[in-house]
């Protein structure tokens, strides 16, 4: 599936295997954090080439936090290898 939001933000594929693709109309840097369901940061960094490498995450449900243009978006993502 694809998660779409009004500001031309889309995140796919869901469930993800090795990579999550982040498409957004902003040319600014997008920072991300991925939290597990215990609220711990499992992964963080900057979105590079519209991709987030999630190959090291275990299967399960996570919360993806995207920060850009002084805005924050939270999305539920699923990892399935």
């Amino acid at each position: 599936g694809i998660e779409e939001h009004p500001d031309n933000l889309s995140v796919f594929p869901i469930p993800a295997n090795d990579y999550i693709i982040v498409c957004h109309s902003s040319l600014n840097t997008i920072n991300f954090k991925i939290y597990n369901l215990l609220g711990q940061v499992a992964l963080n960094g900057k979105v590079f080439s519209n991709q987030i490498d999630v190959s090291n995450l275990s299967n399960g449900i996570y919360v993806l936090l995207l920060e850009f243009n002084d805005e924050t978006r939270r999305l539920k993502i699923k990892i399935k290898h």
Side-chain angles (χ1 to χ4, degrees):
I2 298 177
E3 286 283 333
E4 289 194 26
H5 290 266
D7 49 10
N8 298 322
L9 174 69
S10 58
V11 175
F12 59 92
I14 305 291
N17 182 4
D18 292 329
Y19 290 95
I20 290 176
I21 309 297
V22 178
C23 292
H24 188 266
S25 56
S26 170
L27 297 177
N28 293 344
T29 301
I30 300 177
N31 296 307
F32 75 87
K33 289 181 182 168
I34 297 178
Y35 295 91
N36 63 22
L37 293 181
L38 299 175
Q40 301 162 323
V41 176
L43 197 62
N44 65 12
K46 296 185 187 315
V47 176
F48 184 72
S49 295
N50 292 344
Q51 293 185 345
I52 300 173
D53 182 349
V54 294
S55 59
N56 290 327
L57 294 180
S58 302
N59 289 349
I61 304 291
Y62 295 85
V63 175
L64 170 61
L65 186 89
L66 297 170
E67 296 173 322
F68 54 92
N69 299 345
D70 298 326
E71 295 182 55
T72 301
R73 291 284 181 275
R74 284 181 177 80
L75 308 167
K76 271 194 180 173
I77 58 170
K78 183 176 182 179
I79 306 296
K80 187 171 183 181
H81 299 292

